[in-house]
Amino acid sequence: MINRSLVRLTTCICLMLATALSARGAIEIESRSPCRIQVDQPHISTNLLRKENRRVVKVNAFSICNVPHSNVTLTVELWKEGLLTNHLVSRRVIYNKELVFPGDKVTNSKTYETCLNSRATSYFGVSYSKALIRGIWHYARHEQREKKVILKCGT
């Protein structure tokens, strides 16, 4: 009789712990952001140099989600380091009203500025986006401040 009561008590405790742990795991999965942004390092565009004979500094970024989403706005900014403060060099916004399937990228590769001289300048990229997922707006941001790149392109 005592063994049966002990087994029942142990089983109840195990079931309660398993339920609590699985509920906690579900909350952690739900709280993760369904979207992320990847910002590339600023670079001299070889494509524009080859096709248009223009020397430009450029930064690309893309947004990707693991759920269907729509109405994506992806903003990419190119910044240069200044003496007292940083300076915005270029900003481009991409709007995609269409439905985007999970794993598909929304890319912004149009953020660039023409080099005026060959002075060494430190650049970094910043990107932020919003997307409509299941009727709720979700926001994401990514900065590359720690990954500044020095390029021979004064703007």
Side-chain angles (χ1 to χ4, degrees):
M1 189 91 159
I2 294 177
N3 277 343
R4 236 180 220 187
S5 295
L6 186 59
V7 169
R8 285 183 183 160
L9 178 63
T10 306
T11 304
C12 287
I13 291 172
C14 288
L15 286 173
M16 288 189 318
L17 283 173
T19 303
L21 288 175
S22 66
R24 186 174 144 224
I27 290 169
E28 287 177 15
I29 290 170
E30 283 296 306
S31 68
R32 267 194 254 157
S33 177
C35 301
R36 71 178 178 86
I37 300 175
Q38 177 71 42
V39 182
D40 295 339
Q41 288 187 340
H43 60 280
I44 302 297
S45 174
T46 55
N47 187 38
L48 288 172
L49 185 60
R50 185 177 60 248
K51 288 185 176 179
E52 300 178 18
N53 198 28
R54 291 175 55 200
R55 186 170 161 79
V56 300
V57 60
K58 180 178 182 184
V59 65
N60 300 322
F62 67 84
S63 171
I64 188 168
C65 297
N66 58 15
V67 294
H69 55 291
S70 63
N71 295 323
V72 179
T73 302
L74 177 60
T75 304
V76 180
E77 297 175 345
L78 177 64
W79 288 79
K80 70 178 178 180
E81 194 173 52
L83 184 60
L84 298 175
T85 183
N86 296 325
H87 306 282
L88 179 64
V89 176
S90 181
R91 174 188 292 138
R92 297 290 184 273
V93 181
I94 298 293
Y95 302 100
N96 185 350
K97 303 280 185 198
E98 314 265 325
L99 176 67
V100 182
F101 293 101
D104 287 352
K105 296 177 182 178
V106 174
T107 304
N108 183 333
S109 57
K110 304 210 180 279
T111 307
Y112 56 86
E113 187 64 42
T114 303
C115 299
L116 300 177
N117 53 49
S118 58
R119 184 180 308 143
T121 307
S122 181
Y123 293 97
F124 63 93
V126 175
S127 183
Y128 42 95
S129 71
K130 70 177 183 177
L132 191 61
I133 302 172
R134 296 183 200 114
I136 299 171
W137 287 105
H138 289 261
Y139 300 87
R141 181 176 176 87
H142 186 239
E143 294 187 36
Q144 284 277 337
R145 286 181 195 245
E146 69 281 354
K147 294 185 180 179
K148 294 176 182 164
V149 178
I150 297 175
L151 300 171
K152 290 187 176 183
C153 174
T155 52

